[in-house]
Amino acid sequence: MEVKEQIRAYRSSLGLSQEELAAAVYVTRQTVSNWENGKSYPDIQSLLRLSALYGVSLDQLIKGDAERMKEKINDDEIRAFNRLSNVFALMMVLSLLAWAPLAYFLHWWGMALAVILFAFTFFLALRVEKEKKKYDIQSYKEIVAFLEGRRLDEISKAQEVAKRPYQKVLLTLGSAALAAVLTGGLLWLFTLVQSILNTG
């Protein structure tokens, strides 16, 4: 039996409505509905609250889903994320390196092409985030880690690090600074080569 069915079955056995269950585990009614319809998966804290409320062990609650979770990580994450992340990494490098030669050799047309290249790279970044939400990978990783005996505080620390919004801002600013340095360096190099060719 999958977790979505377990959540619904135990809720029904206790005579709780979705609203009452949501209040008991500190989530919204819509979240409970999404769990029971298989649209999303409870995070580790919610699963622990559910197991305590239902009076069952975590193993009993997620019985039938543990192997599926591991397969989900191994199959979906490795295949989809490796492919997407490889394309994204390639496009990031191209975006960073293409500015200078495009601007130098093609002038305004080159700048336009560089902007299009950057827009496509940004689109890929959004796709990576969408896939992450689609497969709810962070939750699966937390649960599998918990089942493998890692301490919950380690998982919580990892969550907190991942939730820091300023990390994305710093990454964006760092990428912009790197792009500026690379662009400036390449433009200087092209100018130097051009001046050598003109004098020679």
Side-chain angles (χ1 to χ4, degrees):
M1 189 181 289
E2 293 184 3
V3 170
K4 62 181 182 179
E5 294 163 354
Q6 295 274 59
I7 292 171
R8 190 184 306 116
Y10 282 119
R11 177 177 65 77
S12 298
S13 70
L14 291 175
L16 297 172
S17 66
Q18 286 187 341
E19 289 86 355
E20 290 167 330
L21 177 60
V25 294
Y26 310 109
V27 295
T28 64
R29 188 210 61 80
Q30 186 60 48
T31 300
V32 172
S33 175
N34 287 341
W35 292 343
E36 292 187 354
N37 291 322
K39 291 181 181 175
S40 67
Y41 203 91
D43 60 21
I44 192 69
Q45 284 84 3
S46 297
L47 282 171
L48 290 171
R49 289 186 194 116
L50 286 167
S51 67
L53 177 68
Y54 292 156
V56 297
S57 70
L58 188 59
D59 285 343
Q60 285 176 281
L61 185 61
I62 66 170
K63 191 173 182 181
D65 265 11
E67 284 308 310
R68 188 177 65 84
M69 281 186 262
K70 289 181 182 178
E71 286 169 17
K72 192 88 166 166
I73 292 169
N74 291 335
D75 293 342
D76 293 335
E77 184 183 64
I78 290 171
R79 204 169 338 136
F81 278 92
N82 277 348
R83 186 172 57 245
L84 254 181
S85 64
N86 288 338
V87 174
F88 175 65
L90 176 65
M91 293 307 297
M92 269 300 272
V93 171
L94 284 175
S95 293
L96 289 172
L97 296 178
W99 280 96
L102 286 172
Y104 187 82
F105 293 111
L106 299 177
H107 307 293
W108 290 109
W109 286 108
M111 292 296 285
L113 285 172
V115 168
I116 291 168
L117 191 62
F118 176 77
F120 183 68
T121 303
F122 185 73
F123 167 75
L124 285 176
L126 294 177
R127 280 286 309 276
V128 169
E129 287 301 314
K130 184 178 177 184
E131 291 293 305
K132 224 159 138 186
K133 287 178 185 173
K134 177 180 173 184
Y135 294 115
D136 201 16
I137 285 167
Q138 186 61 37
S139 294
Y140 285 133
K141 279 184 175 176
E142 290 169 6
I143 294 158
V144 170
F146 183 81
L147 289 174
E148 288 172 352
R150 285 172 46 202
R151 294 196 332 263
L152 188 57
D153 58 345
E154 290 173 353
I155 297 166
S156 299
K157 282 179 191 172
Q159 277 183 326
E160 289 308 309
V161 169
K163 288 178 184 174
R164 291 178 186 159
Y166 63 80
Q167 285 182 335
K168 289 185 181 178
V169 174
L170 290 176
L171 182 62
T172 304
L173 292 174
S175 298
L178 181 60
V181 169
L182 284 173
T183 302
L186 287 171
L187 284 173
W188 173 81
L189 184 63
F190 291 143
T191 306
L192 180 67
V193 169
Q194 187 70 37
S195 67
I196 290 169
L197 291 173
N198 288 342
T199 57

